[in-house]
């Protein structure tokens, strides 16, 4: 298919599913992450010493350089990488190394404030936002402009809502500052959305975009809990907005665009992920080409596969740790294995923790009603205390 070797920064579940997808096309991958047997490294046996994985941080320039020396194309399963190092490595190895998406894209996206400024610059719809300092005065001034409740967000290193704090009353401002630590902050107006929706968009090296169906995402405690595909509702505007956002970024690959659908039908972009995304896991079983395979095809300059659904309806349920107990995950999995149309993905994480994504379950069916009835026993089997 291709002789090019792909280097992946990050070896978590997204890297694991990328690597599994790469193996189907016999694409060789080398993974950089701390440890020797994380979720992604478990599924790829290095075919030669040249292809051995690297034990180190995706935020360490030396380790990124080591990875770059072994591969032809670099990509990332996480945006919290050292984007400047990546950029310098790309420039130094221009003739033989490709990096997708472009490090400048990763750099913009990894800082949520810069990401919002970029979207606003391109006249794409976002919630009103302001930069703030980590001081009570600065946040109080922002409340004066954007009102309460106010969503305070860390600009960097956010995931699963862990960089967010909702200030509902002025006396909670110090708690927000404490909870978000010393990270640089910004704030967003609270958006009372009707629904959250998301769409995966693939972008080729030439800049063409192709999107998957719009899906509904349901979050619990700011962590993605359920995804329903396709979203039944007006979807044209969301697709146009998401595709335009991805057109304005550079480099190839798959992008996840999270959006709010407001009561009046307005669509706002919440955030963009420059990589495969939780809301696109369903594509493995429910679409003609998965988000993972299309990411690989896009970064390797291969033809993109169809993004169409191949089933009438699908859902995805995240398996999220409720405690340190792995046995709760095992019992949920046993229930899942007895239901038709259900596929279980376990990520091979060595320890379970409350709020940690341990796996996911995809449910496909002939109708929304069938998918919902297959989903019901799974929701009933969720461990007590799961988010
Ligand atoms: P992810 O795991 O998706 O990367 P994250 O940590 O980057 O999450 P966000 O996507 O910014 O966090 O926010 C998490 C959730 O919080 C959103 O999916 C949404 O439910 C809620 N949320 C975020 N911003 C707002 C807002 N301005 N108003 C209301 N709710 C919001
Ligand atoms: Mg995020
Ligand atoms: Mg998000």
């Amino acid at each position: 298919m291709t002789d090019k070797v792909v280097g992946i920064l990050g070896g978590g579940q997204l890297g694991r599913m990328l690597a599994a997808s790469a193996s189907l096309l016999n694409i060789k991958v080398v993974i950089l992450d701390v440890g020797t047997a994380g979720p992604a490294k478990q599924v790829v046996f290095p075919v030669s010493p040249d292809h051995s994985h690297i034990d180190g941080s995706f935020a360490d320039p030396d380790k990124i350089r080591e990875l770059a020396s072994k591969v032809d194309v670099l990509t990332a399963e996480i945006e919290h990488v050292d984007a400047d190092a990546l950029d310098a490595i790309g420039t130094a190895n221009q003739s033989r190394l490709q990096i997708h998406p472009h490090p400048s894209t990763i750099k913009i996206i990894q800082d949520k404030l810069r990401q919002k400024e970029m979207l606003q610059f391109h006249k794409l719809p976002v919630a009103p936002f302001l930069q703030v300092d980590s001081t009570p005065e600065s946040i109080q001034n922002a409340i004066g402009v954007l009102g309460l409740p106010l969503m305070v967000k860390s600009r960097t290193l956010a995931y699963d809502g862990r960089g967010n704090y909702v200030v509902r009353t002025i006396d909670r401002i110090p708690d927000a500052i404490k909870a978000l630590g010393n990270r640089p902050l910004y704030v967003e107006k609270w958006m009372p959305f009707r629904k959250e929706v998301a769409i995966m968009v693939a972008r080729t090296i030439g800049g063409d975009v192709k999107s998957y169906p719009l899906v509904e995402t349901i979050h619990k405690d700011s962590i993605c809990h359920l995804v329903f595909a396709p979203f039944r509702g007006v979807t044209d505007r969301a697709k146009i907005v998401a595709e335009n956002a991805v057109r304005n970024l550079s480099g190839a690959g798959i992008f996840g665009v999270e959006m709010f659908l407001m009561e009046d039908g307005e669509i706002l972009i919440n955030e963009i992920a420059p990589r495969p995304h939780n809301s696109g896991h369903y594509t493995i079983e429910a679409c003609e080409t998965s988000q993972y395979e299309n990411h690989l095809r896009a970064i390797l300059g291969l033809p993109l596969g169809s993004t169409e659904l191949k089933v009438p309806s699908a859902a995805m349920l995240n398996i999220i740790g409720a405690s340190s107990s792995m046995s709760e995950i095992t019992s949920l999995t046993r229930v899942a294995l007895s239901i038709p149309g259900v596929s279980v993905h376990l990520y091979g994480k060595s320890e379970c923790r409350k709020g940690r994504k341990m796996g996911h379950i995809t449910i496909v069916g002939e109708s929304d009603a069938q998918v919902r009835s297959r989903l019901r026993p799974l929701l009933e089997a969720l461990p007590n205390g799961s988010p």
Side-chain angles (χ1 to χ4, degrees):
M1 175 55 61
T2 175
D3 293 334
K4 288 184 182 153
V5 180
V6 175
I8 307 175
L9 283 85
Q13 65 265 24
L14 301 175
R16 180 183 177 102
M17 290 182 269
L18 262 179
S21 188
S23 77
L24 297 177
L25 288 171
N26 193 29
I27 296 165
K28 294 175 187 64
V29 303
V30 179
I31 291 147
L32 165 62
D33 208 340
V34 175
T36 53
K41 290 178 185 176
Q42 289 166 18
V43 301
V44 196
F45 185 75
V47 288
S48 77
D50 282 351
H51 299 108
S52 55
H53 301 311
I54 301 171
D55 181 354
S57 167
F58 43 73
D60 178 344
D62 287 339
K63 293 291 178 179
I64 302 175
R65 247 186 301 278
E66 191 183 333
L67 178 66
S69 72
K70 292 176 163 226
V71 304
D72 306 288
V73 182
L74 275 182
T75 191
E77 61 130 38
I78 181 164
E79 54 275 27
H80 308 307
V81 300
D82 187 331
D84 288 330
L86 212 48
D87 203 15
I89 291 163
T91 310
N93 296 280
Q94 225 158 23
S95 55
R96 60 149 212 99
L97 181 74
Q98 293 225 10
I99 306 180
H100 290 296
H102 194 276
S104 62
T105 296
I106 298 177
K107 199 167 165 66
I108 292 169
I109 285 180
Q110 67 184 195
D111 179 342
K112 285 184 166 185
L113 177 65
R114 287 192 60 184
Q115 186 187 148
K116 286 271 146 80
E117 286 169 345
M118 179 276 296
L119 293 169
Q120 199 175 49
F121 177 81
H122 291 294
K123 305 205 164 27
L124 290 156
V126 292
F129 62 92
L130 287 172
Q131 182 173 358
V132 293
D133 301 328
S134 299
T135 60
E137 300 72 43
S138 183
I139 294 178
Q140 186 141 7
N141 286 342
I143 290 171
V145 181
L146 300 176
L148 285 171
L150 183 73
M151 180 59 105
V152 185
K153 291 191 180 184
S154 167
R155 287 173 57 174
T156 55
L157 300 175
Y159 72 102
D160 290 346
R162 287 175 208 200
N164 291 358
Y165 193 101
V166 185
V167 172
R168 296 185 187 278
T169 51
I170 283 178
D171 59 310
R172 302 306 292 272
I173 294 174
D175 298 341
I177 295 172
K178 201 168 151 210
L180 299 176
N182 291 324
R183 291 188 275 177
L185 304 179
Y186 80 107
V187 297
E188 285 177 14
K189 189 175 170 66
W190 180 256
M191 290 290 122
F193 49 76
R194 182 161 73 83
K195 294 225 178 259
E196 285 194 81
V197 291
I199 191 163
M200 300 306 305
V201 182
R203 189 180 197 279
T204 65
I205 293 173
D208 294 331
V209 296
K210 189 170 186 173
S211 46
Y212 280 86
L214 187 70
V215 300
E216 178 176 357
T217 58
I218 296 175
H219 290 73
K220 251 195 199 176
D221 296 337
S222 287
I223 304 181
C224 178
H225 171 54
L226 279 166
V227 170
F228 291 104
F231 173 67
R232 308 286 177 193
V234 181
T235 61
D236 295 359
R237 170 108 177 108
K239 185 176 148 95
I240 292 167
V241 163
E243 288 186 354
N244 278 343
V246 172
R247 261 191 209 101
N248 282 304
L249 296 167
S250 44
I254 195 106
F255 293 81
V257 185
E258 300 177 10
M259 291 168 283
F260 300 145
L261 174 59
M262 304 303 289
E263 281 299 340
D264 62 359
E266 191 188 359
I267 283 282
L268 301 171
I269 297 181
N270 173 33
E271 63 167 344
I272 301 177
R275 52 168 169 77
H277 189 256
N278 201 162
S279 69
H281 291 346
Y282 79 94
T283 60
I284 298 175
E285 285 87 10
C287 292
E288 289 180 351
T289 317
S290 78
Q291 63 164 347
Y292 300 99
E293 184 168 327
N294 262 340
H295 181 72
L296 293 165
R297 292 190 192 202
I299 67 174
L300 288 164
L302 301 169
L304 288 183
S306 162
T307 50
E308 298 284 316
L309 278 168
K310 60 183 180 192
V311 291
S313 181
M316 190 276 328
L317 171 68
N318 266 340
I319 303 178
I320 296 174
S323 67
S324 60
S325 161
M326 221 31 128
S327 63
E328 294 168 344
I329 308 289
T330 314
S331 23
L332 175 64
T333 302
R334 291 193 78 88
V335 173
L337 294 179
S338 66
I339 305 170
V342 165
S343 306
V344 178
H345 297 252
L346 295 175
Y347 301 151
K349 295 188 181 176
S350 55
E351 280 167 32
C352 187
R353 279 198 303 271
K354 189 171 171 65
R356 192 174 200 201
K357 288 176 180 164
M358 301 302 292
H360 75 266
I361 299 172
T362 306
I363 304 116
V364 300
E366 290 306 315
S367 64
D368 290 356
Q370 188 180 57
V371 166
R372 301 256 172 179
S373 77
R374 290 174 170 178
L375 173 63
R376 206 165 304 120
L378 295 170
L379 295 177
E380 284 162 7
L382 285 178
N384 282 334
S386 67

